[in-house]
Coordinates of all heavy atoms in Angstrom, one line a residue:
I246 N 219.5 89.6 -39.7 CA 220.2 88.6 -40.6 C 220.5 87.3 -39.8 O 221.2 87.3 -38.8 CB 221.6 89.2 -41.0 CG1 221.4 90.6 -41.7 CG2 222.4 88.3 -41.8 CD1 220.9 90.6 -43.1
D247 N 219.9 86.2 -40.4 CA 220.4 84.9 -40.1 C 220.5 84.5 -38.6 O 221.4 83.8 -38.2 CB 221.7 84.6 -40.7 CG 221.7 84.8 -42.2 OD1 220.7 85.1 -42.8 OD2 222.8 84.7 -42.9
F252 N 223.3 78.9 -36.5 CA 224.5 79.7 -36.2 C 224.6 80.0 -34.7 O 225.7 80.3 -34.2 CB 224.4 81.1 -36.9 CG 224.5 81.0 -38.4 CD1 223.4 81.1 -39.2 CD2 225.8 80.7 -38.9 CE1 223.6 80.9 -40.6 CE2 225.9 80.6 -40.3 CZ 224.8 80.7 -41.1
F258 N 225.6 74.7 -38.2 CA 226.6 75.0 -39.2 C 227.7 75.8 -38.5 O 228.9 75.5 -38.7 CB 226.0 75.9 -40.3 CG 226.9 76.2 -41.4 CD1 227.6 75.3 -42.1 CD2 227.1 77.6 -41.7 CE1 228.4 75.6 -43.2 CE2 228.0 77.9 -42.7 CZ 228.7 76.9 -43.5
L262 N 231.8 74.6 -38.2 CA 233.0 75.3 -38.8 C 234.1 75.5 -37.7 O 235.1 76.1 -38.0 CB 232.5 76.7 -39.3 CG 231.5 76.7 -40.5 CD1 231.0 78.1 -40.8 CD2 232.2 76.1 -41.7
N264 N 233.5 76.8 -34.5 CA 233.3 78.1 -33.7 C 232.6 77.8 -32.4 O 231.9 76.8 -32.2 CB 232.4 79.0 -34.5 CG 233.0 79.5 -35.8 OD1 234.2 79.9 -35.8 ND2 232.3 79.3 -36.9
E295 N 220.1 82.0 -44.0 CA 221.0 81.4 -45.0 C 220.8 79.9 -45.0 O 220.6 79.3 -44.0 CB 222.5 81.7 -44.6 CG 223.5 81.1 -45.6 CD 224.9 81.3 -45.2 OE1 225.2 82.0 -44.3 OE2 225.8 80.6 -45.9
K352 N 218.1 82.9 -48.3 CA 219.2 83.4 -49.2 C 220.2 82.2 -49.3 O 220.5 81.6 -48.3 CB 219.8 84.7 -48.7 CG 220.4 84.6 -47.3 CD 220.8 86.0 -46.9 CE 221.5 86.0 -45.6 NZ 222.8 85.3 -45.5
K355 N 225.9 84.8 -48.7 CA 226.1 85.6 -47.5 C 225.3 86.9 -47.5 O 224.8 87.3 -46.5 CB 227.6 85.9 -47.3 CG 228.5 84.6 -47.3 CD 228.1 83.6 -46.2 CE 229.0 82.4 -46.2 NZ 228.4 81.3 -45.4
V380 N 223.7 88.0 -37.4 CA 225.0 87.4 -37.3 C 225.4 86.9 -38.7 O 224.6 86.6 -39.5 CB 225.0 86.2 -36.3 CG1 224.8 86.7 -34.9 CG2 224.0 85.1 -36.7
T381 N 226.8 86.7 -38.9 CA 227.8 87.3 -38.1 C 228.2 88.6 -38.7 O 228.1 88.9 -39.9 CB 229.0 86.3 -38.0 OG1 229.6 86.2 -39.3 CG2 228.7 85.0 -37.5
E383 N 231.0 90.2 -39.5 CA 231.9 90.4 -40.7 C 231.6 89.5 -41.9 O 232.2 89.7 -42.9 CB 233.4 90.1 -40.2 CG 233.8 88.6 -40.2 CD 233.3 87.9 -38.9 OE1 232.5 88.5 -38.1 OE2 233.8 86.8 -38.6
V384 N 230.6 88.6 -41.7 CA 230.3 87.7 -42.9 C 228.9 88.2 -43.5 O 228.9 89.1 -44.4 CB 230.3 86.3 -42.4 CG1 229.9 85.4 -43.6 CG2 231.6 85.9 -41.9
C385 N 227.8 87.7 -43.0 CA 226.5 88.0 -43.6 C 226.0 89.4 -43.4 O 225.4 90.0 -44.3 CB 225.5 87.0 -43.2 SG 225.9 85.4 -43.9
V386 N 226.3 90.0 -42.2 CA 225.9 91.4 -42.0 C 226.7 92.3 -42.9 O 226.2 93.2 -43.6 CB 226.1 91.8 -40.5 CG1 225.9 93.3 -40.3 CG2 225.2 91.0 -39.6
Y410 N 231.9 85.1 -34.2 CA 232.6 84.1 -33.4 C 234.1 84.6 -33.1 O 234.8 84.0 -32.4 CB 232.8 82.8 -34.2 CG 231.4 82.2 -34.7 CD1 231.1 82.1 -36.0 CD2 230.5 81.8 -33.7 CE1 229.9 81.6 -36.4 CE2 229.2 81.3 -34.2 CZ 229.0 81.2 -35.5 OH 227.8 80.7 -35.9
Ligands
LIG132 N1 230.6 81.6 -40.7 C1 230.1 82.8 -40.4 O1 230.7 83.6 -39.6 N2 228.9 83.2 -41.0 C2 228.2 82.5 -41.9 O2 228.6 81.5 -42.5 N3 227.0 83.0 -42.3 C3 226.5 84.2 -41.7 O3 227.2 85.1 -41.3 N4 225.2 84.3 -41.6

Side-chain angles (χ1 to χ4, degrees):
I246 306 284
D247 302 357
F252 293 105
F258 183 58
L262 295 173
N264 299 306
E295 181 180 351
K352 61 188 184 63
K355 305 305 182 193
V380 295
T381 62
E383 79 280 12
V384 182
C385 291
V386 171
Y410 304 119

